[in-house]
mmCIF file with all atom_site columns, all heavy atoms in Angstrom:
data_model
loop_
_atom_site.group_PDB
_atom_site.id
_atom_site.type_symbol
_atom_site.label_atom_id
_atom_site.label_alt_id
_atom_site.label_comp_id
_atom_site.label_asym_id
_atom_site.label_entity_id
_atom_site.label_seq_id
_atom_site.pdbx_PDB_ins_code
_atom_site.Cartn_x
_atom_site.Cartn_y
_atom_site.Cartn_z
_atom_site.occupancy
_atom_site.B_iso_or_equiv
_atom_site.pdbx_formal_charge
_atom_site.auth_seq_id
_atom_site.auth_comp_id
_atom_site.auth_asym_id
_atom_site.auth_atom_id
_atom_site.pdbx_PDB_model_num
ATOM 1   N N   . ILE A 1 1  ? -35.375 44.774 -122.682 1.00 97.00 ? 1  ILE A N   1
ATOM 2   C CA  . ILE A 1 1  ? -35.477 45.593 -121.477 1.00 97.00 ? 1  ILE A CA  1
ATOM 3   C C   . ILE A 1 1  ? -36.539 46.663 -121.723 1.00 97.00 ? 1  ILE A C   1
ATOM 4   O O   . ILE A 1 1  ? -36.613 47.215 -122.831 1.00 97.00 ? 1  ILE A O   1
ATOM 5   C CB  . ILE A 1 1  ? -34.106 46.226 -121.126 1.00 97.00 ? 1  ILE A CB  1
ATOM 6   C CG1 . ILE A 1 1  ? -34.149 46.978 -119.797 1.00 97.00 ? 1  ILE A CG1 1
ATOM 7   C CG2 . ILE A 1 1  ? -33.626 47.141 -122.234 1.00 97.00 ? 1  ILE A CG2 1
ATOM 8   C CD1 . ILE A 1 1  ? -32.767 47.436 -119.322 1.00 97.00 ? 1  ILE A CD1 1
ATOM 9   N N   . PRO A 1 2  ? -37.388 46.981 -120.747 1.00 97.00 ? 2  PRO A N   1
ATOM 10  C CA  . PRO A 1 2  ? -38.398 48.023 -120.947 1.00 97.00 ? 2  PRO A CA  1
ATOM 11  C C   . PRO A 1 2  ? -37.766 49.365 -121.315 1.00 97.00 ? 2  PRO A C   1
ATOM 12  O O   . PRO A 1 2  ? -36.706 49.727 -120.795 1.00 97.00 ? 2  PRO A O   1
ATOM 13  C CB  . PRO A 1 2  ? -39.108 48.094 -119.583 1.00 97.00 ? 2  PRO A CB  1
ATOM 14  C CG  . PRO A 1 2  ? -38.885 46.754 -118.962 1.00 97.00 ? 2  PRO A CG  1
ATOM 15  C CD  . PRO A 1 2  ? -37.530 46.324 -119.427 1.00 97.00 ? 2  PRO A CD  1
ATOM 16  N N   . THR A 1 3  ? -38.435 50.091 -122.195 1.00 97.00 ? 3  THR A N   1
ATOM 17  C CA  . THR A 1 3  ? -37.912 51.368 -122.686 1.00 97.00 ? 3  THR A CA  1
ATOM 18  C C   . THR A 1 3  ? -37.600 52.329 -121.550 1.00 97.00 ? 3  THR A C   1
ATOM 19  O O   . THR A 1 3  ? -36.549 52.989 -121.546 1.00 97.00 ? 3  THR A O   1
ATOM 20  C CB  . THR A 1 3  ? -38.929 52.012 -123.654 1.00 97.00 ? 3  THR A CB  1
ATOM 21  O OG1 . THR A 1 3  ? -39.010 51.206 -124.826 1.00 97.00 ? 3  THR A OG1 1
ATOM 22  C CG2 . THR A 1 3  ? -38.500 53.418 -124.061 1.00 97.00 ? 3  THR A CG2 1
ATOM 23  N N   . VAL A 1 4  ? -38.495 52.444 -120.578 1.00 96.00 ? 4  VAL A N   1
ATOM 24  C CA  . VAL A 1 4  ? -38.300 53.423 -119.503 1.00 96.00 ? 4  VAL A CA  1
ATOM 25  C C   . VAL A 1 4  ? -37.032 53.132 -118.708 1.00 96.00 ? 4  VAL A C   1
ATOM 26  O O   . VAL A 1 4  ? -36.316 54.058 -118.288 1.00 96.00 ? 4  VAL A O   1
ATOM 27  C CB  . VAL A 1 4  ? -39.548 53.470 -118.577 1.00 96.00 ? 4  VAL A CB  1
ATOM 28  C CG1 . VAL A 1 4  ? -39.750 52.142 -117.851 1.00 96.00 ? 4  VAL A CG1 1
ATOM 29  C CG2 . VAL A 1 4  ? -39.445 54.619 -117.592 1.00 96.00 ? 4  VAL A CG2 1
ATOM 30  N N   . ILE A 1 5  ? -36.719 51.858 -118.506 1.00 95.00 ? 5  ILE A N   1
ATOM 31  C CA  . ILE A 1 5  ? -35.500 51.497 -117.768 1.00 95.00 ? 5  ILE A CA  1
ATOM 32  C C   . ILE A 1 5  ? -34.276 51.702 -118.652 1.00 95.00 ? 5  ILE A C   1
ATOM 33  O O   . ILE A 1 5  ? -33.253 52.243 -118.204 1.00 95.00 ? 5  ILE A O   1
ATOM 34  C CB  . ILE A 1 5  ? -35.577 50.042 -117.266 1.00 95.00 ? 5  ILE A CB  1
ATOM 35  C CG1 . ILE A 1 5  ? -36.759 49.888 -116.294 1.00 95.00 ? 5  ILE A CG1 1
ATOM 36  C CG2 . ILE A 1 5  ? -34.275 49.636 -116.586 1.00 95.00 ? 5  ILE A CG2 1
ATOM 37  C CD1 . ILE A 1 5  ? -36.992 48.470 -115.836 1.00 95.00 ? 5  ILE A CD1 1
ATOM 38  N N   . TYR A 1 6  ? -34.372 51.276 -119.909 1.00 96.00 ? 6  TYR A N   1
ATOM 39  C CA  . TYR A 1 6  ? -33.240 51.430 -120.824 1.00 96.00 ? 6  TYR A CA  1
ATOM 40  C C   . TYR A 1 6  ? -32.834 52.898 -120.965 1.00 96.00 ? 6  TYR A C   1
ATOM 41  O O   . TYR A 1 6  ? -31.641 53.235 -120.886 1.00 96.00 ? 6  TYR A O   1
ATOM 42  C CB  . TYR A 1 6  ? -33.597 50.854 -122.193 1.00 96.00 ? 6  TYR A CB  1
ATOM 43  C CG  . TYR A 1 6  ? -32.538 51.106 -123.245 1.00 96.00 ? 6  TYR A CG  1
ATOM 44  C CD1 . TYR A 1 6  ? -31.413 50.286 -123.336 1.00 96.00 ? 6  TYR A CD1 1
ATOM 45  C CD2 . TYR A 1 6  ? -32.641 52.184 -124.134 1.00 96.00 ? 6  TYR A CD2 1
ATOM 46  C CE1 . TYR A 1 6  ? -30.428 50.526 -124.280 1.00 96.00 ? 6  TYR A CE1 1
ATOM 47  C CE2 . TYR A 1 6  ? -31.660 52.424 -125.083 1.00 96.00 ? 6  TYR A CE2 1
ATOM 48  C CZ  . TYR A 1 6  ? -30.564 51.597 -125.146 1.00 96.00 ? 6  TYR A CZ  1
ATOM 49  O OH  . TYR A 1 6  ? -29.581 51.846 -126.078 1.00 96.00 ? 6  TYR A OH  1
ATOM 50  N N   . GLU A 1 7  ? -33.816 53.759 -121.166 1.00 94.00 ? 7  GLU A N   1
ATOM 51  C CA  . GLU A 1 7  ? -33.497 55.177 -121.378 1.00 94.00 ? 7  GLU A CA  1
ATOM 52  C C   . GLU A 1 7  ? -32.889 55.806 -120.145 1.00 94.00 ? 7  GLU A C   1
ATOM 53  O O   . GLU A 1 7  ? -32.046 56.702 -120.245 1.00 94.00 ? 7  GLU A O   1
ATOM 54  C CB  . GLU A 1 7  ? -34.754 55.919 -121.829 1.00 94.00 ? 7  GLU A CB  1
ATOM 55  C CG  . GLU A 1 7  ? -35.176 55.516 -123.246 1.00 94.00 ? 7  GLU A CG  1
ATOM 56  C CD  . GLU A 1 7  ? -36.427 56.224 -123.735 1.00 94.00 ? 7  GLU A CD  1
ATOM 57  O OE1 . GLU A 1 7  ? -37.134 56.843 -122.890 1.00 94.00 ? 7  GLU A OE1 1
ATOM 58  O OE2 . GLU A 1 7  ? -36.714 56.153 -124.949 1.00 94.00 ? 7  GLU A OE2 1
ATOM 59  N N   . HIS A 1 8  ? -33.286 55.324 -118.965 1.00 93.00 ? 8  HIS A N   1
ATOM 60  C CA  . HIS A 1 8  ? -32.641 55.807 -117.736 1.00 93.00 ? 8  HIS A CA  1
ATOM 61  C C   . HIS A 1 8  ? -31.223 55.266 -117.627 1.00 93.00 ? 8  HIS A C   1
ATOM 62  O O   . HIS A 1 8  ? -30.306 55.979 -117.189 1.00 93.00 ? 8  HIS A O   1
ATOM 63  C CB  . HIS A 1 8  ? -33.466 55.386 -116.519 1.00 93.00 ? 8  HIS A CB  1
ATOM 64  C CG  . HIS A 1 8  ? -32.963 55.943 -115.225 1.00 93.00 ? 8  HIS A CG  1
ATOM 65  N ND1 . HIS A 1 8  ? -32.867 57.294 -114.978 1.00 93.00 ? 8  HIS A ND1 1
ATOM 66  C CD2 . HIS A 1 8  ? -32.515 55.328 -114.096 1.00 93.00 ? 8  HIS A CD2 1
ATOM 67  C CE1 . HIS A 1 8  ? -32.391 57.507 -113.756 1.00 93.00 ? 8  HIS A CE1 1
ATOM 68  N NE2 . HIS A 1 8  ? -32.161 56.314 -113.202 1.00 93.00 ? 8  HIS A NE2 1
ATOM 69  N N   . MET A 1 9  ? -31.027 54.025 -118.047 1.00 93.00 ? 9  MET A N   1
ATOM 70  C CA  . MET A 1 9  ? -29.699 53.400 -117.967 1.00 93.00 ? 9  MET A CA  1
ATOM 71  C C   . MET A 1 9  ? -28.679 54.129 -118.837 1.00 93.00 ? 9  MET A C   1
ATOM 72  O O   . MET A 1 9  ? -27.510 54.260 -118.464 1.00 93.00 ? 9  MET A O   1
ATOM 73  C CB  . MET A 1 9  ? -29.783 51.935 -118.395 1.00 93.00 ? 9  MET A CB  1
ATOM 74  C CG  . MET A 1 9  ? -30.493 51.026 -117.406 1.00 93.00 ? 9  MET A CG  1
ATOM 75  S SD  . MET A 1 9  ? -29.431 50.437 -116.075 1.00 93.00 ? 9  MET A SD  1
ATOM 76  C CE  . MET A 1 9  ? -28.329 49.365 -116.957 1.00 93.00 ? 9  MET A CE  1
ATOM 77  N N   . VAL A 1 10 ? -29.111 54.565 -120.017 1.00 92.00 ? 10 VAL A N   1
ATOM 78  C CA  . VAL A 1 10 ? -28.157 55.172 -120.956 1.00 92.00 ? 10 VAL A CA  1
ATOM 79  C C   . VAL A 1 10 ? -28.179 56.696 -120.905 1.00 92.00 ? 10 VAL A C   1
ATOM 80  O O   . VAL A 1 10 ? -27.508 57.359 -121.701 1.00 92.00 ? 10 VAL A O   1
ATOM 81  C CB  . VAL A 1 10 ? -28.427 54.699 -122.405 1.00 92.00 ? 10 VAL A CB  1
ATOM 82  C CG1 . VAL A 1 10 ? -28.293 53.188 -122.508 1.00 92.00 ? 10 VAL A CG1 1
ATOM 83  C CG2 . VAL A 1 10 ? -29.802 55.148 -122.890 1.00 92.00 ? 10 VAL A CG2 1
ATOM 84  N N   . LYS A 1 11 ? -28.934 57.264 -119.960 1.00 88.00 ? 11 LYS A N   1
ATOM 85  C CA  . LYS A 1 11 ? -29.010 58.709 -119.832 1.00 88.00 ? 11 LYS A CA  1
ATOM 86  C C   . LYS A 1 11 ? -27.618 59.291 -119.597 1.00 88.00 ? 11 LYS A C   1
ATOM 87  O O   . LYS A 1 11 ? -26.830 58.769 -118.820 1.00 88.00 ? 11 LYS A O   1
ATOM 88  C CB  . LYS A 1 11 ? -29.939 59.074 -118.670 1.00 88.00 ? 11 LYS A CB  1
ATOM 89  C CG  . LYS A 1 11 ? -30.301 60.543 -118.593 1.00 88.00 ? 11 LYS A CG  1
ATOM 90  C CD  . LYS A 1 11 ? -31.321 60.777 -117.473 1.00 88.00 ? 11 LYS A CD  1
ATOM 91  C CE  . LYS A 1 11 ? -31.718 62.242 -117.404 1.00 88.00 ? 11 LYS A CE  1
ATOM 92  N NZ  . LYS A 1 11 ? -32.712 62.461 -116.313 1.00 88.00 ? 11 LYS A NZ  1
ATOM 93  N N   . ARG A 1 12 ? -27.315 60.367 -120.295 1.00 85.00 ? 12 ARG A N   1
ATOM 94  C CA  . ARG A 1 12 ? -26.012 61.059 -120.218 1.00 85.00 ? 12 ARG A CA  1
ATOM 95  C C   . ARG A 1 12 ? -24.855 60.224 -120.775 1.00 85.00 ? 12 ARG A C   1
ATOM 96  O O   . ARG A 1 12 ? -23.683 60.557 -120.554 1.00 85.00 ? 12 ARG A O   1
ATOM 97  C CB  . ARG A 1 12 ? -25.704 61.490 -118.781 1.00 85.00 ? 12 ARG A CB  1
ATOM 98  C CG  . ARG A 1 12 ? -26.712 62.478 -118.217 1.00 85.00 ? 12 ARG A CG  1
ATOM 99  C CD  . ARG A 1 12 ? -26.360 62.877 -116.806 1.00 85.00 ? 12 ARG A CD  1
ATOM 100 N NE  . ARG A 1 12 ? -27.358 63.793 -116.256 1.00 85.00 ? 12 ARG A NE  1
ATOM 101 C CZ  . ARG A 1 12 ? -27.356 64.246 -115.015 1.00 85.00 ? 12 ARG A CZ  1
ATOM 102 N NH1 . ARG A 1 12 ? -26.400 63.854 -114.174 1.00 85.00 ? 12 ARG A NH1 1
ATOM 103 N NH2 . ARG A 1 12 ? -28.293 65.063 -114.597 1.00 85.00 ? 12 ARG A NH2 1
ATOM 104 N N   . LEU A 1 13 ? -25.187 59.144 -121.450 1.00 87.00 ? 13 LEU A N   1
ATOM 105 C CA  . LEU A 1 13 ? -24.147 58.349 -122.111 1.00 87.00 ? 13 LEU A CA  1
ATOM 106 C C   . LEU A 1 13 ? -24.125 58.723 -123.580 1.00 87.00 ? 13 LEU A C   1
ATOM 107 O O   . LEU A 1 13 ? -25.144 58.662 -124.269 1.00 87.00 ? 13 LEU A O   1
ATOM 108 C CB  . LEU A 1 13 ? -24.453 56.857 -121.951 1.00 87.00 ? 13 LEU A CB  1
ATOM 109 C CG  . LEU A 1 13 ? -23.400 55.860 -122.450 1.00 87.00 ? 13 LEU A CG  1
ATOM 110 C CD1 . LEU A 1 13 ? -22.091 56.020 -121.687 1.00 87.00 ? 13 LEU A CD1 1
ATOM 111 C CD2 . LEU A 1 13 ? -23.915 54.436 -122.304 1.00 87.00 ? 13 LEU A CD2 1
ATOM 112 N N   . SER A 1 14 ? -22.992 59.129 -124.061 1.00 86.00 ? 14 SER A N   1
ATOM 113 C CA  . SER A 1 14 ? -22.856 59.585 -125.443 1.00 86.00 ? 14 SER A CA  1
ATOM 114 C C   . SER A 1 14 ? -23.247 58.483 -126.423 1.00 86.00 ? 14 SER A C   1
ATOM 115 O O   . SER A 1 14 ? -22.751 57.352 -126.337 1.00 86.00 ? 14 SER A O   1
ATOM 116 C CB  . SER A 1 14 ? -21.421 60.032 -125.708 1.00 86.00 ? 14 SER A CB  1
ATOM 117 O OG  . SER A 1 14 ? -21.157 60.131 -127.086 1.00 86.00 ? 14 SER A OG  1
ATOM 118 N N   . ALA A 1 15 ? -24.150 58.818 -127.350 1.00 84.00 ? 15 ALA A N   1
ATOM 119 C CA  . ALA A 1 15 ? -24.556 57.844 -128.375 1.00 84.00 ? 15 ALA A CA  1
ATOM 120 C C   . ALA A 1 15 ? -23.365 57.433 -129.222 1.00 84.00 ? 15 ALA A C   1
ATOM 121 O O   . ALA A 1 15 ? -23.237 56.267 -129.622 1.00 84.00 ? 15 ALA A O   1
ATOM 122 C CB  . ALA A 1 15 ? -25.650 58.441 -129.254 1.00 84.00 ? 15 ALA A CB  1
ATOM 123 N N   . GLY A 1 16 ? -22.483 58.376 -129.491 1.00 86.00 ? 16 GLY A N   1
ATOM 124 C CA  . GLY A 1 16 ? -21.281 58.061 -130.265 1.00 86.00 ? 16 GLY A CA  1
ATOM 125 C C   . GLY A 1 16 ? -20.377 57.083 -129.543 1.00 86.00 ? 16 GLY A C   1
ATOM 126 O O   . GLY A 1 16 ? -19.787 56.188 -130.162 1.00 86.00 ? 16 GLY A O   1
ATOM 127 N N   . LEU A 1 17 ? -20.280 57.221 -128.205 1.00 88.00 ? 17 LEU A N   1
ATOM 128 C CA  . LEU A 1 17 ? -19.459 56.303 -127.414 1.00 88.00 ? 17 LEU A CA  1
ATOM 129 C C   . LEU A 1 17 ? -20.045 54.904 -127.438 1.00 88.00 ? 17 LEU A C   1
ATOM 130 O O   . LEU A 1 17 ? -19.315 53.911 -127.567 1.00 88.00 ? 17 LEU A O   1
ATOM 131 C CB  . LEU A 1 17 ? -19.359 56.811 -125.971 1.00 88.00 ? 17 LEU A CB  1
ATOM 132 C CG  . LEU A 1 17 ? -18.523 55.961 -125.008 1.00 88.00 ? 17 LEU A CG  1
ATOM 133 C CD1 . LEU A 1 17 ? -17.065 55.923 -125.460 1.00 88.00 ? 17 LEU A CD1 1
ATOM 134 C CD2 . LEU A 1 17 ? -18.625 56.513 -123.590 1.00 88.00 ? 17 LEU A CD2 1
ATOM 135 N N   . VAL A 1 18 ? -21.368 54.817 -127.331 1.00 89.00 ? 18 VAL A N   1
ATOM 136 C CA  . VAL A 1 18 ? -22.035 53.509 -127.373 1.00 89.00 ? 18 VAL A CA  1
ATOM 137 C C   . VAL A 1 18 ? -21.762 52.814 -128.703 1.00 89.00 ? 18 VAL A C   1
ATOM 138 O O   . VAL A 1 18 ? -21.424 51.629 -128.753 1.00 89.00 ? 18 VAL A O   1
ATOM 139 C CB  . VAL A 1 18 ? -23.552 53.664 -127.145 1.00 89.00 ? 18 VAL A CB  1
ATOM 140 C CG1 . VAL A 1 18 ? -24.257 52.326 -127.355 1.00 89.00 ? 18 VAL A CG1 1
ATOM 141 C CG2 . VAL A 1 18 ? -23.835 54.190 -125.750 1.00 89.00 ? 18 VAL A CG2 1
ATOM 142 N N   . LYS A 1 19 ? -21.903 53.545 -129.801 1.00 87.00 ? 19 LYS A N   1
ATOM 143 C CA  . LYS A 1 19 ? -21.719 52.958 -131.130 1.00 87.00 ? 19 LYS A CA  1
ATOM 144 C C   . LYS A 1 19 ? -20.274 52.554 -131.389 1.00 87.00 ? 19 LYS A C   1
ATOM 145 O O   . LYS A 1 19 ? -20.001 51.538 -132.020 1.00 87.00 ? 19 LYS A O   1
ATOM 146 C CB  . LYS A 1 19 ? -22.185 53.939 -132.196 1.00 87.00 ? 19 LYS A CB  1
ATOM 147 C CG  . LYS A 1 19 ? -23.703 54.157 -132.209 1.00 87.00 ? 19 LYS A CG  1
ATOM 148 C CD  . LYS A 1 19 ? -24.109 55.179 -133.259 1.00 87.00 ? 19 LYS A CD  1
ATOM 149 C CE  . LYS A 1 19 ? -25.617 55.396 -133.249 1.00 87.00 ? 19 LYS A CE  1
ATOM 150 N NZ  . LYS A 1 19 ? -26.049 56.410 -134.238 1.00 87.00 ? 19 LYS A NZ  1
ATOM 151 N N   . SER A 1 20 ? -19.341 53.368 -130.877 1.00 88.00 ? 20 SER A N   1
ATOM 152 C CA  . SER A 1 20 ? -17.931 53.117 -131.199 1.00 88.00 ? 20 SER A CA  1
ATOM 153 C C   . SER A 1 20 ? -17.229 52.198 -130.208 1.00 88.00 ? 20 SER A C   1
ATOM 154 O O   . SER A 1 20 ? -16.270 51.511 -130.567 1.00 88.00 ? 20 SER A O   1
ATOM 155 C CB  . SER A 1 20 ? -17.169 54.446 -131.273 1.00 88.00 ? 20 SER A CB  1
ATOM 156 O OG  . SER A 1 20 ? -17.162 55.094 -130.000 1.00 88.00 ? 20 SER A OG  1
ATOM 157 N N   . ALA A 1 21 ? -17.703 52.173 -128.943 1.00 91.00 ? 21 ALA A N   1
ATOM 158 C CA  . ALA A 1 21 ? -16.941 51.480 -127.909 1.00 91.00 ? 21 ALA A CA  1
ATOM 159 C C   . ALA A 1 21 ? -17.615 50.244 -127.331 1.00 91.00 ? 21 ALA A C   1
ATOM 160 O O   . ALA A 1 21 ? -16.936 49.375 -126.781 1.00 91.00 ? 21 ALA A O   1
ATOM 161 C CB  . ALA A 1 21 ? -16.627 52.453 -126.767 1.00 91.00 ? 21 ALA A CB  1
ATOM 162 N N   . MET A 1 22 ? -18.941 50.136 -127.421 1.00 94.00 ? 22 MET A N   1
ATOM 163 C CA  . MET A 1 22 ? -19.656 49.022 -126.783 1.00 94.00 ? 22 MET A CA  1
ATOM 164 C C   . MET A 1 22 ? -19.169 47.671 -127.302 1.00 94.00 ? 22 MET A C   1
ATOM 165 O O   . MET A 1 22 ? -18.955 47.486 -128.496 1.00 94.00 ? 22 MET A O   1
ATOM 166 C CB  . MET A 1 22 ? -21.159 49.144 -127.020 1.00 94.00 ? 22 MET A CB  1
ATOM 167 C CG  . MET A 1 22 ? -21.995 48.070 -126.329 1.00 94.00 ? 22 MET A CG  1
ATOM 168 S SD  . MET A 1 22 ? -22.106 48.241 -124.536 1.00 94.00 ? 22 MET A SD  1
ATOM 169 C CE  . MET A 1 22 ? -23.412 49.480 -124.378 1.00 94.00 ? 22 MET A CE  1
ATOM 170 N N   . ASP A 1 23 ? -18.991 46.741 -126.376 1.00 94.00 ? 23 ASP A N   1
ATOM 171 C CA  . ASP A 1 23 ? -18.544 45.396 -126.732 1.00 94.00 ? 23 ASP A CA  1
ATOM 172 C C   . ASP A 1 23 ? -19.668 44.645 -127.445 1.00 94.00 ? 23 ASP A C   1
ATOM 173 O O   . ASP A 1 23 ? -20.713 44.374 -126.845 1.00 94.00 ? 23 ASP A O   1
ATOM 174 C CB  . ASP A 1 23 ? -18.120 44.642 -125.486 1.00 94.00 ? 23 ASP A CB  1
ATOM 175 C CG  . ASP A 1 23 ? -17.691 43.203 -125.774 1.00 94.00 ? 23 ASP A CG  1
ATOM 176 O OD1 . ASP A 1 23 ? -17.130 42.980 -126.849 1.00 94.00 ? 23 ASP A OD1 1
ATOM 177 O OD2 . ASP A 1 23 ? -17.950 42.329 -124.933 1.00 94.00 ? 23 ASP A OD2 1
ATOM 178 N N   . HIS A 1 24 ? -19.481 44.309 -128.722 1.00 94.00 ? 24 HIS A N   1
ATOM 179 C CA  . HIS A 1 24 ? -20.470 43.569 -129.495 1.00 94.00 ? 24 HIS A CA  1
ATOM 180 C C   . HIS A 1 24 ? -19.977 42.158 -129.845 1.00 94.00 ? 24 HIS A C   1
ATOM 181 O O   . HIS A 1 24 ? -20.493 41.534 -130.771 1.00 94.00 ? 24 HIS A O   1
ATOM 182 C CB  . HIS A 1 24 ? -20.790 44.323 -130.789 1.00 94.00 ? 24 HIS A CB  1
ATOM 183 C CG  . HIS A 1 24 ? -21.549 45.602 -130.566 1.00 94.00 ? 24 HIS A CG  1
ATOM 184 N ND1 . HIS A 1 24 ? -21.340 46.738 -131.307 1.00 94.00 ? 24 HIS A ND1 1
ATOM 185 C CD2 . HIS A 1 24 ? -22.503 45.934 -129.653 1.00 94.00 ? 24 HIS A CD2 1
ATOM 186 C CE1 . HIS A 1 24 ? -22.128 47.714 -130.872 1.00 94.00 ? 24 HIS A CE1 1
ATOM 187 N NE2 . HIS A 1 24 ? -22.841 47.235 -129.873 1.00 94.00 ? 24 HIS A NE2 1
ATOM 188 N N   . SER A 1 25 ? -19.012 41.658 -129.115 1.00 93.00 ? 25 SER A N   1
ATOM 189 C CA  . SER A 1 25 ? -18.481 40.336 -129.397 1.00 93.00 ? 25 SER A CA  1
ATOM 190 C C   . SER A 1 25 ? -19.472 39.249 -128.990 1.00 93.00 ? 25 SER A C   1
ATOM 191 O O   . SER A 1 25 ? -20.364 39.465 -128.162 1.00 93.00 ? 25 SER A O   1
ATOM 192 C CB  . SER A 1 25 ? -17.155 40.117 -128.662 1.00 93.00 ? 25 SER A CB  1
ATOM 193 O OG  . SER A 1 25 ? -17.357 40.175 -127.255 1.00 93.00 ? 25 SER A OG  1
ATOM 194 N N   . VAL A 1 26 ? -19.317 38.072 -129.578 1.00 91.00 ? 26 VAL A N   1
ATOM 195 C CA  . VAL A 1 26 ? -20.151 36.918 -129.233 1.00 91.00 ? 26 VAL A CA  1
ATOM 196 C C   . VAL A 1 26 ? -19.555 36.265 -127.997 1.00 91.00 ? 26 VAL A C   1
ATOM 197 O O   . VAL A 1 26 ? -18.380 35.861 -127.997 1.00 91.00 ? 26 VAL A O   1
ATOM 198 C CB  . VAL A 1 26 ? -20.215 35.915 -130.395 1.00 91.00 ? 26 VAL A CB  1
ATOM 199 C CG1 . VAL A 1 26 ? -21.032 34.694 -129.993 1.00 91.00 ? 26 VAL A CG1 1
ATOM 200 C CG2 . VAL A 1 26 ? -20.790 36.574 -131.628 1.00 91.00 ? 26 VAL A CG2 1
ATOM 201 N N   . PRO A 1 27 ? -20.316 36.167 -126.899 1.00 88.00 ? 27 PRO A N   1
ATOM 202 C CA  . PRO A 1 27 ? -19.743 35.626 -125.644 1.00 88.00 ? 27 PRO A CA  1
ATOM 203 C C   . PRO A 1 27 ? -19.419 34.151 -125.754 1.00 88.00 ? 27 PRO A C   1
ATOM 204 O O   . PRO A 1 27 ? -20.034 33.404 -126.501 1.00 88.00 ? 27 PRO A O   1
ATOM 205 C CB  . PRO A 1 27 ? -20.856 35.889 -124.625 1.00 88.00 ? 27 PRO A CB  1
ATOM 206 C CG  . PRO A 1 27 ? -22.108 35.955 -125.426 1.00 88.00 ? 27 PRO A CG  1
ATOM 207 C CD  . PRO A 1 27 ? -21.721 36.560 -126.744 1.00 88.00 ? 27 PRO A CD  1
ATOM 208 N N   . ASP A 1 28 ? -18.422 33.754 -124.971 1.00 84.00 ? 28 ASP A N   1
ATOM 209 C CA  . ASP A 1 28 ? -18.060 32.338 -124.881 1.00 84.00 ? 28 ASP A CA  1
ATOM 210 C C   . ASP A 1 28 ? -19.082 31.595 -124.039 1.00 84.00 ? 28 ASP A C   1
ATOM 211 O O   . ASP A 1 28 ? -19.729 32.169 -123.166 1.00 84.00 ? 28 ASP A O   1
ATOM 212 C CB  . ASP A 1 28 ? -16.673 32.175 -124.243 1.00 84.00 ? 28 ASP A CB  1
ATOM 213 C CG  . ASP A 1 28 ? -15.572 32.773 -125.097 1.00 84.00 ? 28 ASP A CG  1
ATOM 214 O OD1 . ASP A 1 28 ? -15.709 32.737 -126.344 1.00 84.00 ? 28 ASP A OD1 1
ATOM 215 O OD2 . ASP A 1 28 ? -14.580 33.283 -124.537 1.00 84.00 ? 28 ASP A OD2 1
#
């Protein structure tokens, strides 16, 4: 994803929340 869009998408989202809560499972 382009950097400019990604950074807008995650704006105000806690980096700690992303690291601890984001779903990293392998999809079916």
Side-chain angles (χ1 to χ4, degrees):
I1 186 171
T3 293
V4 64
I5 298 175
Y6 174 82
E7 290 180 346
H8 186 60
M9 289 276 292
V10 300
K11 191 175 181 180
R12 298 180 182 176
L13 186 62
S14 164
L17 180 63
V18 173
K19 291 178 181 179
S20 64
M22 183 72 82
D23 178 34
H24 291 143
S25 63
V26 177
D28 295 327

